[in-house]
Amino acid sequence: MQKIMGYVRRAVQEFGLIEKGDKIAVGISGGKDSLVLLSALAGMRRFEAFDYDIVAVTIDPGFNGTQNNYDAVARLCDRLQVPFSLVHTQIGEIVFDIRKEPNPCSLCANMRRGALHDAAKAAGCNKLALGHHNDDVIETFMMNLLKEGRIGCFSPKTHLDRKDITVIRPLVFAPESQVSAACKRNDLEVVKSVCPADKTTVRQQTKEFLADMERRDKGVKQRIFSALRKSGIDGWGYPDRQ
């Protein structure tokens, strides 16, 4: 986990993600990314330079009309001494059964984000940490470019005025391969996704496209990330160039 914490410290320093006295809700889906993020943020609390509180928040979408089992997340939170809040919703039923969305991911993501923001505020948090890693950044940039014809990406730090909460992404420098390795090394128990659209999304297609490009031309993903940072858009600029 030391290497992951190194990536997190770099993101905190370059983008000003965490300040003294913050209370941070960590969004936990049960996947490897959010579990590794939670473990890293919990571990960093022992360093004097980091003075913040964290709580773990899980939004259960209720896919297939049933509540998913997050006992593994509860056990991890207990081990890390992090309060855990589980919110059951009917998002899956609304998206797949009632609305029967042909492209469900956008609506589902929006509804889950809204529920997560509300849960973070209810827990008294001023910040919400999400587990997007470096590969997510590159994939989102390419999806916006190739699918929407625009240059942009989510930001490493965003203040939501309407909710009065700041969303931070401390893993943005961590490659997915390192996140996966940390998950395995630390025996983190992943909660399997039961989403009906899992592995069939545009993001999965983009991930496979980029993997193929990387095999053909090693380093292409990091060159894309470097281009994003040099552009300075959406808060991605280098601190010394702003």
Side-chain angles (χ1 to χ4, degrees):
M1 199 59 68
Q2 291 297 321
K3 184 170 287 189
I4 295 296
M5 287 195 285
Y7 289 122
V8 171
R9 282 194 292 269
R10 179 185 170 192
V12 168
Q13 291 166 357
E14 291 205 20
F15 300 120
L17 302 186
I18 298 176
E19 298 168 300
K20 184 177 181 179
D22 280 342
K23 185 172 183 181
I24 306 169
V26 185
I28 305 297
S29 66
K32 68 181 189 312
D33 309 330
S34 58
L35 296 179
V36 168
L37 174 61
L38 177 65
S39 300
L41 288 177
M44 286 171 59
R45 291 178 302 177
R46 68 177 183 268
F47 297 109
E48 187 176 347
F50 296 96
D51 180 15
Y52 58 83
D53 291 324
I54 57 174
V55 299
V57 178
T58 292
I59 303 299
D60 177 14
F63 290 128
N64 304 312
T66 60
Q67 294 182 356
N68 203 6
N69 185 336
Y70 293 95
D71 288 350
V73 177
R75 288 193 294 271
L76 175 63
C77 289
D78 185 59
R79 189 167 81 236
L80 297 174
Q81 298 182 319
V82 174
F84 175 51
S85 175
L86 173 59
V87 180
H88 294 290
T89 73
Q90 296 177 306
I91 292 174
E93 182 182 2
I94 293 170
V95 172
F96 289 97
D97 301 329
I98 298 175
R99 294 280 295 268
K100 300 185 186 300
E101 288 287 321
N103 300 298
C105 296
S106 178
L107 177 60
C108 183
N110 286 336
M111 294 182 71
R112 292 173 74 177
R113 276 196 298 269
L116 195 51
H117 297 160
D118 290 342
K121 289 297 292 183
C125 298
N126 66 310
K127 288 184 178 174
L128 168 64
L130 301 179
H132 296 108
H133 48 62
N134 190 251
D135 290 68
D136 288 325
V137 178
I138 298 166
E139 290 160 14
T140 300
F141 178 76
M142 292 301 293
M143 286 165 62
N144 289 337
L145 180 66
L146 300 177
K147 299 296 183 179
E148 299 182 20
R150 66 181 179 89
I151 296 176
C153 187
F154 55 72
S155 300
K157 179 181 179 181
T158 306
H159 183 71
L160 305 177
D161 292 330
R162 190 166 64 86
K163 296 287 187 178
D164 190 28
I165 195 166
T166 300
V167 177
I168 60 174
R169 295 174 167 91
L171 287 181
V172 290
F173 288 127
E176 184 173 18
S177 59
Q178 293 291 336
V179 174
S180 297
C183 185
K184 292 178 181 177
R185 280 197 306 270
N186 291 273
D187 296 320
L188 301 181
E189 190 177 352
V190 171
V191 177
K192 182 175 174 55
S193 172
V194 292
C195 171
D198 193 36
K199 302 301 183 184
T200 65
T201 62
V202 172
R203 180 170 294 278
Q204 181 63 30
Q205 295 169 7
T206 306
K207 183 185 293 289
E208 293 169 1
F209 168 72
L210 286 167
D212 183 59
M213 289 182 64
E214 186 71 20
R215 283 191 293 270
R216 296 168 183 267
D217 185 6
K218 188 172 179 58
V220 67
K221 290 199 293 186
Q222 278 310 298
R223 291 194 293 274
I224 293 172
F225 183 63
S226 178
L228 171 62
R229 297 219 64 190
K230 289 175 182 177
S231 75
I233 60 173
D234 296 331
W236 284 102
Y238 294 96
D240 58 353
R241 300 182 190 178
Q242 297 178 0

